[in-house]
């Protein structure tokens, strides 16, 4: 499955790219979504300045994940992607049929959507944790050797 990824941010994409290349296929296999989502990394300084600003969102109408990058650790961004991929899976299964209004207040006012969020938090975090624990050493070693940095850091 080919994933469409766009970087519309100030993020140094070379650092996160190998992790995405590993995580996205892992998540697809684990979650079982049958259509590739579009993933866009976005800068938004105004959003980043808000303590309770958005970290990411999923748009079920165009199968897209948007991740805000400003001031965030790459691991946190990957975790957000995992959460949003659960929503993508839900959408591919038809769980968003007749539920395209996910604007302000949807969580407080819709028990069905509360359950969708609970599932995304649970499955997204568990998927990310499983991927991290099974791929961390391999990815860190390959990135260490690919950087050309031969000095060991204490």
């Amino acid at each position: 499955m080919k994933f469409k990824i766009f970087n519309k941010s100030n993020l140094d994409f070379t650092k996160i790219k190998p992790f995405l290349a590993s995580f996205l296929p892992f998540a697809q296999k684990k979650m079982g979504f049958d259509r590739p989502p579009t993933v866009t990394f976005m800068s938004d300084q105004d959003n980043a300045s808000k303590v309770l600003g958005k970290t990411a969102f999923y748009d079920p109408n165009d199968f897209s994940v948007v991740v805000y990058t400003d001031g965030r650790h790459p691991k946190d961004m990957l975790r957000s992607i995992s959460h949003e991929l659960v929503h993508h899976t839900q959408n591919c299964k038809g769980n968003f049929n007749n539920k395209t209004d996910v604007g302000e207040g949807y969580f407080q006012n819709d028990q069905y959507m509360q359950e969708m969020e609970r599932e995304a938090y649970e499955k997204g975090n568990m998927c990310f944790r499983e991927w991290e624990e099974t791929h961390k050493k391999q990815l860190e070693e390959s990135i260490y050797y690919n950087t050309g940095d031969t000095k060991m850091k204490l």
Side-chain angles (χ1 to χ4, degrees):
M1 181 174 291
K2 184 126 170 92
F3 295 92
K4 297 177 205 165
I5 302 170
F6 300 99
N7 185 16
K8 297 180 179 180
S9 73
N10 56 6
L11 176 69
D12 179 0
F13 203 65
T14 59
K15 292 181 180 180
I16 199 169
K17 191 174 182 178
F19 294 94
L20 283 171
S22 173
F23 178 68
L24 291 173
F26 177 88
Q28 189 280 322
K29 185 175 181 184
K30 185 80 176 166
M31 295 179 194
F33 52 86
D34 60 358
R35 284 175 272 193
T38 299
V39 179
T40 303
F41 292 89
M42 186 75 68
S43 284
D44 184 337
Q45 290 295 323
D46 183 52
N47 180 63
S49 69
K50 298 174 184 173
V51 173
L52 298 178
K54 292 180 181 179
T55 55
F57 67 89
Y58 177 70
D59 186 341
N61 297 308
D62 65 1
F63 304 99
S64 66
V65 173
V66 173
V67 182
Y68 293 103
T69 62
D70 300 316
R72 295 185 67 194
H73 192 283
K75 182 176 177 177
D76 184 46
M77 288 184 276
L78 289 166
R79 194 179 295 113
S80 288
I81 291 169
S82 189
H83 174 98
E84 301 306 334
L85 288 176
V86 175
H87 290 314
H88 178 64
T89 304
Q90 293 165 336
N91 191 27
C92 289
K93 291 179 179 178
N95 296 345
F96 278 114
N97 292 354
N98 304 320
K99 288 285 185 184
T100 55
D101 181 21
V102 289
E104 256 339 282
Y106 80 91
F107 182 78
Q108 294 84 355
N109 300 321
D110 189 329
Q111 245 183 338
Y112 179 79
M113 292 305 293
Q114 286 177 7
E115 178 57 25
M116 299 279 275
E117 278 299 319
R118 185 206 56 75
E119 181 182 41
Y121 279 107
E122 180 183 324
K123 290 184 177 179
N125 282 335
M126 295 303 285
C127 178
F128 181 77
R129 181 73 184 264
E130 183 179 339
W131 168 80
E132 180 184 21
E133 290 188 4
T134 57
H135 292 83
K136 185 176 187 174
K137 185 172 174 39
Q138 168 196 359
L139 282 163
E140 286 177 343
E141 286 178 356
S142 67
I143 290 167
Y144 170 78
Y145 289 115
N146 288 333
T147 62
D149 184 2
T150 57
K151 293 182 182 176
M152 190 176 261
K153 294 180 176 78
L154 298 176

